Structure formats: C-alpha cells, structure tokens
Amino acid sequence: MARNKEGLVLLLDVGPSMHGALQEVENVCSTLVRKKLVYNRSDEVGIVLFGTKETCNDLAKELGGYKHVVVKHDIKVVDEETKGALQNLPRGTAPGDFLDAIVVGLDMLIKRFGNIKAKQRLCLITDAQHPLRDPPQGTKEDQVDTIADQMKKHDIKMDCIVFREAGVHHNSVMDENDQLLYHFRDRSVAKVVQVDTPTSLLGALKTRNVLPVTIFRGDLEVSSNFKIKVWVYKKTSEEKFPTLKKYSDKAPPSDKFASHEVKVDFEYKSILEPDTVVPPDQRIKGYLYGPQVVPISSAEWEAVKFKPEKGVKLLGFADRSSIPRHFFMKDVNSFVPEPGNTKAIVAASAIARAMQEMDKVAILRCVWRQGQGSVAFGVLTPNISSVKNVPDSFYFNILPFAEDVREFQFRSFSRLPPSSQPTEEQQEAADNLVKMLDLAPPGREEILRPDFTPNPMLERYYNFLDLKSNQPDANPPPLDTCLRRITEPDPNVINYQAPLLQNLSKSFELKENPKRKKARMQERLAYTGLDDKAKKPEDPSAEKAKAIDGQAKKSEDPHALATAVEAMFPSTEKVGKIGDLNPVQDFETMLAERSSSAWVLKAIEEMKNYTTALIQNSPQGDYYQKALECFVALRKACIIEQEPNEFNQFVTTLYKRLKNVDDVAKFFQLLASKNVLLISKEEASDSDVTEEMARSFFLKTEASSQ
C-alpha cells in the first residue's frame, strides 16, 4: 500500500441517544467518501455500527462478547457501494460500547493490512453517554492501555468526535467515558474533539486527508556558530476548488479510447501586420519604461534575477506589539525542532519560552529552497505546548515589504458634525446588536470556530458533483440546513430577539438607497476646496453659510449639511467650457457647480472633446503630458459620479480610431505605463470590465483554441 493511500474504518454510534444526530452523521461521512472519490480513489474504507439491536462481527463469532456491534461494510476500495452503505443508517435500540467498537475496528485493520506499512486510521463518532461493560480482567484503563499498545505496534491512529448537543447534563458516566478517551490521547494514538452543533460535527471530521509535507528542512541560523535544526510545515493553507479540465464532446460516442482532451494553441501577430504570425524565435518580452518598451531577453532576465542561498536566518527580535496583526500575509507556517533531535528541541524550547516571557517576536529571512527567486521576510511567534510529549514550536507569518503596504487615509468620525454622529440611544441599540450576535457568549462554546467550520462553497460543490454523477440533468438543490447555519444568522436568535431588532430600526431612520447620480458631499468638496472658501472672511456668502449651517445642526437631519453647502455656493455662474489655461480646474469647477445630472454629463462630454482634440493636435507628443492629466481627472470623475461606462467607451473608441497612428500609439503606451487603465468592476460596480480586462486592454495577444 502506497504511503499516500489510507485504510479507514468508521465507528458510528447508532444507539438511542444518537438518533437525533444520525442525519448529520450520514451527511458528514458521505462527504468524506465523496472527497475520497475525487482525490483518493485508491483509499479503502470500512464501516462499523455499534448500539444496534443485532450483533455481527468476526470477534463475536470467534471469541464471544462484543455484542451490539455490526460490521456494515468490510474494508475495500472506496466506491458507490461504500457511499450507499452510509445512507439510512439503522436506529439502534441498545446502548453503544465504544471500546468494543474500537477493538472490532482495530481487528479489521490488522487482518486487512497485517504488517504492511500503510496509513491506517479509526474514526469514532459517539456521544459517549452510556456506561461501558466491565472487562473480564483488570480495569477499563488497563483495557485502554492494551488497545493503545496494539495501535502503536501497527501504527494506527484514531480520531474521536464526541457529539453532545448544548444543554445536555453531564453525569459521572460521561465524565468516566471522557477520561478513557483522553487516555487514548495521552498515549499519543488519538485526537479527541467535542462538538455540540451539527455544523461543528460537519467540520470536525477531516473529510480530506492532506499529507503533511515539509517546505523546509535545515538550520535556523541564530548566528554563525549557533544553529538549530528545524522542520517547517504549512499550518494553514487555502483549500482550492478541484481543477476542472476542458472536455471535448467532438469524439464519436463509440470511440472508447477517446481522451476528450482539449488542446489550446496561441498565435502572436504583429500589430503592423495583423495577418502575419510571429514565430517564437522572433518574439521577446518587452517591459514598459515611461512611454517606451524596453526589450529584455530570457537570458538577460535570468542573469538579473536575484538568486539567494537556501536558508533561514534570524535578523533580530522585536516587541510583539510592534507587529500589527493586519500585517500578516499569506499562509501560516509552523516551525518545529527536528524530531528526535534532543539538542534542537531543548534549544528551540529555551528560545520560545524566553520570547514568551519577554513578549518578543523574532524577525526572520527565509529562502525555502535552492534557486527560489524571492525571499520571505516574516515574524516568528512562540507557541508554548500544553500537551505532554509535544515540544514547543513557533508560528511564522509573512510580513509585507514597503511596496506591499497600502496606506488609506480616512476622515475621522470625531470631525463629522453632530447631526452625523450617533445619539446615546442609537449607540446603545448598536451595542445590544453586537451582544445579541456574539458568537462566543459567556458560559457557552464558541459558535463557528474556524477549525470546526467547513467551507460552505466547497461542501455545496461536492454535494452537487455527487448528484450530477447520478443524475446528469439535475438542477442545483437548495442549500443544506447545516451550510445555511454558516452563511446566515441563527433564525432562532433572530426570532427571539425580534423586539431588540425593532428597537434598532426605530433608533435609526431607514431609507431606501437608490442609485446615486450625484457625487457624495465629501467628494464635491474635494473638487473645489470648499473648506478653504468657507474660511475666507471676505467671502460674501460666509454669513449666510453660518446661518444655514446652524439650521442644519438644529434640525439634526443627516442631509441638512449637504443642503446648507449647496445654498452657500449657488450655481448661478457656471463654467460652460474647458479652457487651455487650466483644463483640469475648469472641469472640476463644472462638476462642482452642478444643477442636475445632465450638467455632470455635459462636463464629462466637454472634457472628452477637449482631450481628443489635444491628442490629435499634438505634434510629436508636445501636449501628451497635459492630455495625461486630463485623462486622470476624467477617470477619477467618472468613478466618483458612477459613470464608468462613459470613460471606458471613450477610451475604447479613441483607441480603435487612433491606435495605428504612430505618434498617438505612444500616448496609449504612456497611459498604460502610468496605470491609467479602463475602470474595472472593483473600482465601480456599474462597470462591465473586469480587472484582468482592464490591465490587458492596451497589450493584447490573439489566441485561438482548437
């Protein structure tokens, strides 16, 4: 059996106390089988039920005992029959003994694989509420030790999931059963988790077995003469959707050997000669540098690449508080001392505990493999172990470089007028909303814990994939109840707290938010600098502005301030044309002195016409810089005024008209180099252009697929 194949036995409690959860048990186990059919088609799965009325297992036949344990499905390669065995599980009538079930499952694995080196696992799902039978000899703890010894001998691991709904009263039997399961954990043969909701149950069982692979094995270099042997694993990594392959139905149905493969070929053609295909030996990559394109061959690019040596080096230590949480990027890695290396374990533990005590973190420079073209710069945080026989370790997070940090300046709420700030009643209503939807209320387990919450999009995908495999014409089914609990607030909480929500809606004036065709007040101020105008004592409208502002504050109307400012600067004298002296300023003045949405479109049209004339009448690119400034102003205005299509259509039409004119083609290269692209959906929701389309607009390659 290959190292990446697995033998698994599911041990499922179907006793009376588990009847309410069996539907969820069926769902989670079926999901496990479905994922194995996608990712691990050679894995082998067996199913054992305990708490049943009947008894059917080899040990009961050979030795007696082991009652109310049924082998529902022998260990075999996963297939549709395995999935079918998990449907309509019987509702047992006898209390389940999970130790008997573990022994039966262990016997099945040993008989199936013997001394074959293979990954073998038991998965126990129970509520552990019923008393276990006393063993013929010794105590129950002795029996657990005997089982654990056999599991270690054959390298068999076990996952224990204890499902008890919230509100179940704990008694001495449950406490004893929990201690026995924890004893398996202390012997390093099992992992035990407790869940109290169907959603947590769905996430507690790891339905896809990901092989832990190190991304680095080597020295953590503290100094030239002090190095610690470490292994680095990925702690978290985004689970991607399975790769969907292109499929061709052109092959005749009778051809059993057809691969249905789709082959895609790309052809590159010259802009000057659209009918001529450029062969590979005549193509070279070019990089925009100002208005020109600099060609760089693959050999030159390879020579200029940074090629650091493989290794992990400590650069120094910093206060934990000096590294903000929002600086963490990408996946999280786990640094562990080399297994079995006592010196490395002691050294890593000493550093980790010193860092924890002094509230410090370490800054590392990491190159995971030889030939890697980039350097990882990150922060190492100590992780002090609370479990016996598990050494201390570290968590590693990638930190950004200066180019990766995005600084956004936002106006402070404290600078807003009183009419735009919440009252005490509104603040209290908002506080109550937060408390109502608290996912970790005092005295209760946290809801939607990340390690127990599956990705609802992936789960729905696998469910639909399974449905389509049996019913090709099936439509997507409604969202599963468990997945709905992840994507929506708990309906029970919403119904119970209906008065609080009503009070919240009464505290705030709720209005329909139609599509706006006017810029926000702050953006209108940005056009003309109205804040500065209002401060000038010689402004004849200053006294009027103060009076209107006072009326706005007294009314406590959130729209009063906008009304007041419009009254301060009535648009009686409009700039109706964009001049050559300050075209951008004229354009912004036209936008600010609006009287209707038609006036905004008039200003945009004026700027489009002016910019077009500027480009066409620019000998040898003399006015390209001014045209660029006009383009930037026009693009910004179209985003603010929610008119992205006006800008995109203008640029597209202009590009098609003038792209073959040599001098004008350089201007479009200048636009691309300054990142003045089409407005994408990410910038304005009304746009029809994706970010990828915007970036590739000025540099196109023609592709044809066969």
Side-chain angles (χ1 to χ4, degrees):
M1 191 173 184
R3 64 188 289 266
N4 58 342
K5 302 296 188 292
E6 180 184 55
L8 170 67
V9 175
L10 297 171
L11 311 174
L12 309 180
D13 188 348
V14 296
S17 59
M18 283 289 291
H19 288 181
L22 284 184
Q23 184 60 53
E24 281 73 24
V25 172
E26 290 178 8
N27 291 342
V28 68
C29 294
S30 297
T31 300
L32 181 145
V33 172
R34 284 195 288 266
K35 288 191 179 180
K36 286 189 177 294
L37 287 170
V38 174
Y39 293 107
N40 308 101
R41 291 187 292 270
S42 299
D43 283 4
E44 300 185 20
V45 176
I47 303 170
V48 174
L49 309 180
F50 62 100
T52 57
K53 181 180 179 180
E54 304 82 9
T55 300
C56 181
N57 61 81
D58 289 346
L59 290 180
K61 297 173 184 177
E62 297 169 2
L63 305 175
Y66 301 98
K67 294 182 178 180
H68 309 298
V69 180
V70 172
V71 177
K72 179 76 180 293
H73 184 78
D74 289 322
I75 300 175
K76 60 175 67 174
V77 175
V78 64
D79 55 12
E80 290 293 326
E81 182 184 344
T82 310
K83 190 176 64 176
L86 290 166
Q87 304 303 313
N88 301 316
L89 293 177
R91 272 51 180 170
T93 58
D97 188 322
F98 62 79
L99 284 182
D100 282 352
I102 292 173
V103 174
V104 170
L106 183 61
D107 178 67
M108 292 172 64
L109 288 173
I110 293 174
K111 287 179 177 177
R112 171 65 184 86
F113 299 111
N115 294 322
I116 299 175
K117 202 68 175 176
K119 282 173 30 181
Q120 303 171 61
R121 182 164 62 108
L122 297 169
C123 181
L124 171 68
I125 303 179
T126 180
D127 58 7
Q129 292 191 25
H130 301 291
L132 308 180
R133 67 177 179 84
D134 293 323
Q137 296 178 348
T139 64
K140 295 174 185 177
E141 288 76 10
D142 295 335
Q143 187 180 12
V144 169
D145 284 329
T146 303
I147 297 172
D149 290 339
Q150 287 296 313
M151 293 175 68
K152 279 191 173 183
K153 178 180 178 181
H154 294 277
D155 197 19
I156 298 174
K157 300 294 183 181
M158 179 169 63
D159 293 330
C160 304
I161 301 174
V162 181
F163 177 74
R164 295 186 189 127
E165 291 186 305
V168 174
H169 177 68
H170 274 253
N171 53 40
S172 58
V173 173
M174 294 185 195
D175 292 337
E176 181 187 24
N177 290 343
D178 289 348
Q179 291 303 317
L180 293 175
L181 292 174
Y182 291 144
H183 195 46
F184 277 111
R185 184 193 64 186
D186 294 340
R187 292 293 307 274
S188 301
V189 295
K191 182 176 71 172
V192 181
V193 296
Q194 295 203 9
V195 296
D196 59 1
T197 65
T199 303
S200 299
L201 176 62
L202 189 62
L205 179 60
K206 302 304 179 186
T207 51
R208 184 184 172 200
N209 188 33
V210 180
L211 187 68
V213 178
T214 56
I215 62 172
F216 175 82
R217 296 189 186 190
D219 295 331
L220 168 56
E221 187 176 333
V222 179
S223 66
S224 58
N225 55 2
F226 180 27
K227 301 176 182 179
I228 304 173
K229 293 289 184 182
V230 295
W231 289 11
V232 182
Y233 294 90
K234 282 194 174 184
K235 180 64 176 175
T236 61
S237 182
E238 182 185 358
E239 181 78 358
K240 304 289 186 181
F241 272 87
T243 303
L244 300 178
K245 298 181 179 179
K246 292 181 173 64
Y247 179 89
S248 172
D249 60 356
K250 298 298 183 182
S254 57
D255 187 355
K256 297 181 180 180
F257 301 99
S259 65
H260 299 281
E261 180 184 358
V262 176
K263 184 180 179 182
V264 179
D265 292 331
F266 289 90
E267 289 184 349
Y268 294 83
K269 298 182 178 180
S270 170
I271 295 178
L272 300 177
E273 300 179 15
D275 298 330
T276 304
V277 177
V278 181
D281 58 345
Q282 296 181 17
R283 296 199 302 263
I284 190 172
K285 288 186 177 181
Y287 296 86
L288 288 172
Y289 187 72
Q292 62 179 334
V293 177
V294 180
I296 300 180
S297 67
S298 56
E300 291 172 327
W301 185 241
E302 191 65 26
V304 82
K305 277 185 178 179
F306 181 48
K307 298 177 182 178
E309 291 292 322
K310 174 184 174 181
V312 175
K313 293 185 178 182
L314 173 69
L315 301 182
F317 296 94
D319 292 335
R320 188 191 293 258
S321 59
S322 66
I323 310 293
R325 176 65 182 81
H326 62 265
F327 273 10
F328 292 176
M329 301 174 63
K330 300 184 179 179
D331 303 330
V332 181
N333 297 328
S334 180
F335 274 63
V336 299
E338 184 180 52
N341 189 330
T342 305
K343 292 183 178 179
I345 293 172
V346 172
S349 179
I351 293 178
R353 290 174 186 270
M355 291 167 59
Q356 181 79 5
E357 192 174 317
M358 301 171 67
D359 201 24
K360 296 284 188 179
V361 293
I363 307 300
L364 301 186
R365 167 198 178 277
C366 303
V367 179
W368 306 123
R369 61 185 182 276
Q370 194 66 35
Q372 179 177 317
S374 60
V375 175
F377 175 77
V379 57
L380 200 65
T381 308
N383 175 39
I384 307 303
S385 174
S386 59
V387 181
K388 293 180 181 178
N389 302 323
V390 177
D392 297 333
S393 58
F394 302 90
Y395 291 137
F396 179 79
N397 292 88
I398 302 292
L399 290 177
F401 291 102
E403 294 83 356
D404 305 321
V405 178
R406 300 290 183 265
E407 293 290 348
F408 299 107
Q409 299 296 327
F410 297 101
R411 192 175 179 185
S412 172
F413 286 134
S414 62
R415 298 178 59 186
L416 294 176
S419 60
S420 299
Q421 303 219 20
T423 63
E424 290 184 7
E425 180 186 359
Q426 291 173 332
Q427 188 62 59
E428 183 181 0
D431 292 344
N432 290 335
L433 175 68
V434 174
K435 293 176 183 177
M436 180 189 80
L437 297 178
D438 188 0
L439 296 179
R444 285 187 55 190
E445 288 288 330
E446 181 182 351
I447 305 169
L448 298 182
R449 287 173 52 186
D451 47 346
F452 291 151
T453 304
N455 186 328
M457 295 179 291
L458 284 172
E459 295 297 323
R460 182 163 168 77
Y461 168 80
Y462 289 117
N463 291 344
F464 186 54
L465 184 64
D466 176 64
L467 179 64
K468 290 283 284 185
S469 68
N470 298 313
Q471 305 175 32
D473 298 328
N475 294 319
L479 192 63
D480 183 78
T481 305
C482 279
L483 301 183
R484 193 178 296 278
R485 289 176 182 145
I486 300 173
T487 58
E488 298 176 1
D490 188 343
N492 296 328
V493 174
I494 298 298
N495 294 333
Y496 179 72
Q497 298 287 0
L500 191 150
L501 294 174
Q502 292 174 0
N503 183 47
L504 180 69
S505 62
K506 290 178 182 178
S507 301
F508 293 89
E509 184 181 5
L510 301 180
K511 294 183 178 180
E512 184 179 357
N513 185 21
K515 180 180 177 181
R516 293 180 291 107
K517 282 300 180 181
K518 290 185 178 182
R520 294 188 295 271
M521 195 62 232
Q522 291 88 337
E523 294 158 348
R524 291 172 63 185
L525 293 173
Y527 282 131
T528 56
L530 295 184
D531 286 327
D532 295 332
K533 290 184 180 182
K535 294 175 184 177
K536 293 180 181 179
E538 64 273 16
D539 189 343
S541 64
E543 293 298 325
K544 183 178 179 181
K546 291 179 181 178
I548 295 175
D549 185 55
Q551 294 176 8
K553 291 180 178 178
K554 289 178 182 178
S555 67
E556 294 189 357
D557 184 352
H559 300 287
L561 181 61
T563 306
V565 176
E566 288 178 350
M568 287 167 58
F569 300 95
S571 44
T572 55
E573 297 180 6
K574 295 184 174 62
V575 176
K577 187 178 180 182
I578 295 175
D580 292 327
L581 187 60
N582 293 307
V584 173
Q585 184 177 343
D586 293 343
F587 175 58
E588 292 177 347
T589 303
M590 290 181 70
L591 290 170
E593 294 179 345
R594 74 180 71 226
S595 60
S596 65
S597 59
W599 183 257
V600 173
L601 295 177
K602 175 176 168 40
I604 292 175
E605 193 64 32
E606 284 284 335
M607 180 56 100
K608 286 159 57 174
N609 294 336
Y610 179 81
T611 306
T612 303
L614 202 61
I615 295 172
Q616 291 178 324
N617 301 316
S618 182
Q620 299 181 353
D622 292 343
Y623 302 130
Y624 281 179
Q625 188 60 38
K626 179 182 278 191
L628 174 64
E629 294 172 0
C630 293
F631 256 88
V632 172
L634 178 61
R635 189 178 189 276
K636 175 184 174 183
C638 288
I639 293 174
I640 293 175
E641 301 295 344
Q642 299 185 17
E643 297 289 352
N645 294 330
E646 287 287 332
F647 180 81
N648 292 343
Q649 291 172 7
F650 167 62
V651 174
T652 304
T653 304
L654 191 66
Y655 180 74
K656 288 180 179 178
R657 268 178 49 201
L658 305 176
K659 67 178 181 179
N660 293 324
V661 180
D662 291 340
D663 288 336
V664 179
K666 294 179 181 179
F667 175 75
F668 290 116
Q669 294 176 3
L670 177 62
L671 287 181
S673 68
K674 298 298 183 180
N675 215 31
V676 183
L677 311 175
L678 299 181
I679 300 173
S680 66
K681 290 181 179 179
E682 285 72 14
E683 297 171 287
S685 57
D686 291 344
S687 174
D688 298 323
V689 177
T690 65
E691 187 173 2
E692 183 179 355
M693 292 166 60
R695 291 189 176 281
S696 61
F697 178 76
F698 292 116
L699 299 173
K700 295 182 178 178
T701 59
E702 295 181 25
S704 62
S705 61
Q706 299 177 355

PDB file of all heavy atoms in Angstrom, residues 481-492:
ATOM      1  N   THR A 481     -29.251  22.566   5.299  1.00  0.00           N
ATOM      2  CA  THR A 481     -29.530  23.263   6.564  1.00  0.00           C
ATOM      3  C   THR A 481     -28.246  23.591   7.311  1.00  0.00           C
ATOM      4  O   THR A 481     -28.084  24.697   7.846  1.00  0.00           O
ATOM      5  CB  THR A 481     -30.445  22.407   7.449  1.00  0.00           C
ATOM      6  OG1 THR A 481     -31.631  22.070   6.719  1.00  0.00           O
ATOM      7  CG2 THR A 481     -30.837  23.168   8.706  1.00  0.00           C
ATOM      8  N   CYS A 482     -27.320  22.645   7.378  1.00  0.00           N
ATOM      9  CA  CYS A 482     -26.058  22.880   8.092  1.00  0.00           C
ATOM     10  C   CYS A 482     -25.267  24.014   7.451  1.00  0.00           C
ATOM     11  O   CYS A 482     -24.690  24.847   8.149  1.00  0.00           O
ATOM     12  CB  CYS A 482     -25.213  21.606   8.111  1.00  0.00           C
ATOM     13  SG  CYS A 482     -25.711  20.435   9.374  1.00  0.00           S
ATOM     14  N   LEU A 483     -25.237  24.043   6.125  1.00  0.00           N
ATOM     15  CA  LEU A 483     -24.499  25.100   5.435  1.00  0.00           C
ATOM     16  C   LEU A 483     -25.206  26.438   5.584  1.00  0.00           C
ATOM     17  O   LEU A 483     -24.560  27.491   5.640  1.00  0.00           O
ATOM     18  CB  LEU A 483     -24.336  24.739   3.960  1.00  0.00           C
ATOM     19  CG  LEU A 483     -23.598  23.427   3.666  1.00  0.00           C
ATOM     20  CD1 LEU A 483     -23.445  23.230   2.164  1.00  0.00           C
ATOM     21  CD2 LEU A 483     -22.243  23.407   4.348  1.00  0.00           C
ATOM     22  N   ARG A 484     -26.522  26.408   5.668  1.00  0.00           N
ATOM     23  CA  ARG A 484     -27.267  27.656   5.860  1.00  0.00           C
ATOM     24  C   ARG A 484     -26.929  28.280   7.207  1.00  0.00           C
ATOM     25  O   ARG A 484     -26.918  29.495   7.366  1.00  0.00           O
ATOM     26  CB  ARG A 484     -28.764  27.384   5.743  1.00  0.00           C
ATOM     27  CG  ARG A 484     -29.604  28.647   5.615  1.00  0.00           C
ATOM     28  CD  ARG A 484     -31.071  28.292   5.451  1.00  0.00           C
ATOM     29  NE  ARG A 484     -31.305  27.576   4.223  1.00  0.00           N
ATOM     30  CZ  ARG A 484     -31.451  28.141   3.039  1.00  0.00           C
ATOM     31  NH1 ARG A 484     -31.364  29.462   2.940  1.00  0.00           N
ATOM     32  NH2 ARG A 484     -31.671  27.430   1.954  1.00  0.00           N
ATOM     33  N   ARG A 485     -26.640  27.440   8.208  1.00  0.00           N
ATOM     34  CA  ARG A 485     -26.280  27.966   9.527  1.00  0.00           C
ATOM     35  C   ARG A 485     -24.936  28.686   9.501  1.00  0.00           C
ATOM     36  O   ARG A 485     -24.638  29.492  10.378  1.00  0.00           O
ATOM     37  CB  ARG A 485     -26.212  26.817  10.541  1.00  0.00           C
ATOM     38  CG  ARG A 485     -27.585  26.250  10.899  1.00  0.00           C
ATOM     39  CD  ARG A 485     -27.453  25.062  11.828  1.00  0.00           C
ATOM     40  NE  ARG A 485     -28.753  24.478  12.132  1.00  0.00           N
ATOM     41  CZ  ARG A 485     -28.964  23.184  12.305  1.00  0.00           C
ATOM     42  NH1 ARG A 485     -27.962  22.341  12.197  1.00  0.00           N
ATOM     43  NH2 ARG A 485     -30.161  22.728  12.584  1.00  0.00           N
ATOM     44  N   ILE A 486     -24.103  28.370   8.495  1.00  0.00           N
ATOM     45  CA  ILE A 486     -22.808  29.045   8.365  1.00  0.00           C
ATOM     46  C   ILE A 486     -22.973  30.380   7.653  1.00  0.00           C
ATOM     47  O   ILE A 486     -22.331  31.377   8.012  1.00  0.00           O
ATOM     48  CB  ILE A 486     -21.809  28.155   7.594  1.00  0.00           C
ATOM     49  CG1 ILE A 486     -21.599  26.841   8.335  1.00  0.00           C
ATOM     50  CG2 ILE A 486     -20.476  28.867   7.389  1.00  0.00           C
ATOM     51  CD1 ILE A 486     -20.762  25.843   7.565  1.00  0.00           C
ATOM     52  N   THR A 487     -23.826  30.414   6.642  1.00  0.00           N
ATOM     53  CA  THR A 487     -23.926  31.595   5.784  1.00  0.00           C
ATOM     54  C   THR A 487     -24.959  32.606   6.253  1.00  0.00           C
ATOM     55  O   THR A 487     -25.001  33.718   5.730  1.00  0.00           O
ATOM     56  CB  THR A 487     -24.280  31.163   4.347  1.00  0.00           C
ATOM     57  OG1 THR A 487     -25.521  30.425   4.364  1.00  0.00           O
ATOM     58  CG2 THR A 487     -23.192  30.267   3.774  1.00  0.00           C
ATOM     59  N   GLU A 488     -25.811  32.242   7.210  1.00  0.00           N
ATOM     60  CA  GLU A 488     -26.866  33.143   7.662  1.00  0.00           C
ATOM     61  C   GLU A 488     -26.911  33.175   9.181  1.00  0.00           C
ATOM     62  O   GLU A 488     -26.525  32.202   9.843  1.00  0.00           O
ATOM     63  CB  GLU A 488     -28.230  32.692   7.118  1.00  0.00           C
ATOM     64  CG  GLU A 488     -28.319  32.695   5.596  1.00  0.00           C
ATOM     65  CD  GLU A 488     -29.648  32.148   5.106  1.00  0.00           C
ATOM     66  OE1 GLU A 488     -30.494  31.788   5.967  1.00  0.00           O
ATOM     67  OE2 GLU A 488     -29.843  32.060   3.879  1.00  0.00           O
ATOM     68  N   PRO A 489     -27.425  34.272   9.766  1.00  0.00           N
ATOM     69  CA  PRO A 489     -27.569  34.311  11.232  1.00  0.00           C
ATOM     70  C   PRO A 489     -28.546  33.241  11.710  1.00  0.00           C
ATOM     71  O   PRO A 489     -29.428  32.800  10.968  1.00  0.00           O
ATOM     72  CB  PRO A 489     -28.121  35.722  11.496  1.00  0.00           C
ATOM     73  CG  PRO A 489     -27.823  36.510  10.271  1.00  0.00           C
ATOM     74  CD  PRO A 489     -27.808  35.543   9.133  1.00  0.00           C
ATOM     75  N   ASP A 490     -28.381  32.822  12.950  1.00  0.00           N
ATOM     76  CA  ASP A 490     -29.244  31.802  13.535  1.00  0.00           C
ATOM     77  C   ASP A 490     -30.683  32.319  13.587  1.00  0.00           C
ATOM     78  O   ASP A 490     -30.968  33.313  14.264  1.00  0.00           O
ATOM     79  CB  ASP A 490     -28.744  31.469  14.947  1.00  0.00           C
ATOM     80  CG  ASP A 490     -29.479  30.275  15.547  1.00  0.00           C
ATOM     81  OD1 ASP A 490     -30.561  29.922  15.035  1.00  0.00           O
ATOM     82  OD2 ASP A 490     -28.966  29.701  16.524  1.00  0.00           O
ATOM     83  N   PRO A 491     -31.643  31.682  12.886  1.00  0.00           N
ATOM     84  CA  PRO A 491     -33.028  32.182  12.886  1.00  0.00           C
ATOM     85  C   PRO A 491     -33.661  32.162  14.268  1.00  0.00           C
ATOM     86  O   PRO A 491     -34.516  32.994  14.574  1.00  0.00           O
ATOM     87  CB  PRO A 491     -33.753  31.241  11.911  1.00  0.00           C
ATOM     88  CG  PRO A 491     -32.896  30.021  11.837  1.00  0.00           C
ATOM     89  CD  PRO A 491     -31.494  30.478  12.062  1.00  0.00           C
ATOM     90  N   ASN A 492     -33.258  31.222  15.114  1.00  0.00           N
ATOM     91  CA  ASN A 492     -33.812  31.171  16.466  1.00  0.00           C
ATOM     92  C   ASN A 492     -33.442  32.423  17.257  1.00  0.00           C
ATOM     93  O   ASN A 492     -34.262  32.979  17.987  1.00  0.00           O
ATOM     94  CB  ASN A 492     -33.321  29.925  17.196  1.00  0.00           C
ATOM     95  CG  ASN A 492     -33.822  28.644  16.542  1.00  0.00           C
ATOM     96  OD1 ASN A 492     -34.915  28.627  15.984  1.00  0.00           O
ATOM     97  ND2 ASN A 492     -33.024  27.597  16.580  1.00  0.00           N
TER      98      ASN A 492
END
